[in-house]
Amino acid sequence: MENQYDRFRAELDSSPVHGRSPLGYVEVRRDAKGEISVSIGPGAFRELTHRQLTDEVHGALAAAIADYSQTSERLFQRWGGTL
């Protein structure tokens, strides 16, 4: 039997997540099945230094984590905030 926490976790786990880097070269996505993809835009390797590309990847991951945190907080509040 599923409890309220299990239903919250299932909804959170199936929520898509998205993050885009500061300059827009890198995107990180997690779909409803939990599959994670990273896209590096055209020209990134040619136009950016190694450090800039590293910062772009880091920025996209940080944005995806922030999106996940916001989704988690929104769902937590919707589920009553007392799981």
Side-chain angles (χ1 to χ4, degrees):
M1 182 170 148
E2 272 192 354
N3 61 31
Q4 187 174 1
Y5 177 76
D6 292 334
R7 291 190 304 272
F8 161 78
R9 287 298 315 175
E11 188 172 351
L12 179 59
D13 291 345
S14 66
S15 295
V17 173
H18 176 256
R20 182 185 298 270
S21 64
L23 298 177
Y25 282 97
V26 180
E27 285 190 73
V28 175
R29 293 182 182 276
R30 186 192 72 181
D31 66 18
K33 296 180 198 171
E35 295 290 323
I36 297 173
S37 64
V38 177
S39 300
I40 299 177
F45 288 98
R46 181 180 65 253
E47 297 168 14
L48 301 176
T49 66
H50 174 78
R51 183 66 189 166
Q52 288 172 317
L53 184 56
T54 300
D55 290 345
E56 285 290 283
V57 171
H58 182 264
L61 289 170
I65 291 167
D67 186 43
Y68 176 84
S69 294
Q70 290 170 353
T71 299
S72 177
E73 180 62 28
R74 180 178 45 79
L75 290 175
F76 183 74
Q77 293 305 318
R78 196 179 87 211
W79 280 92
T82 58
L83 300 173

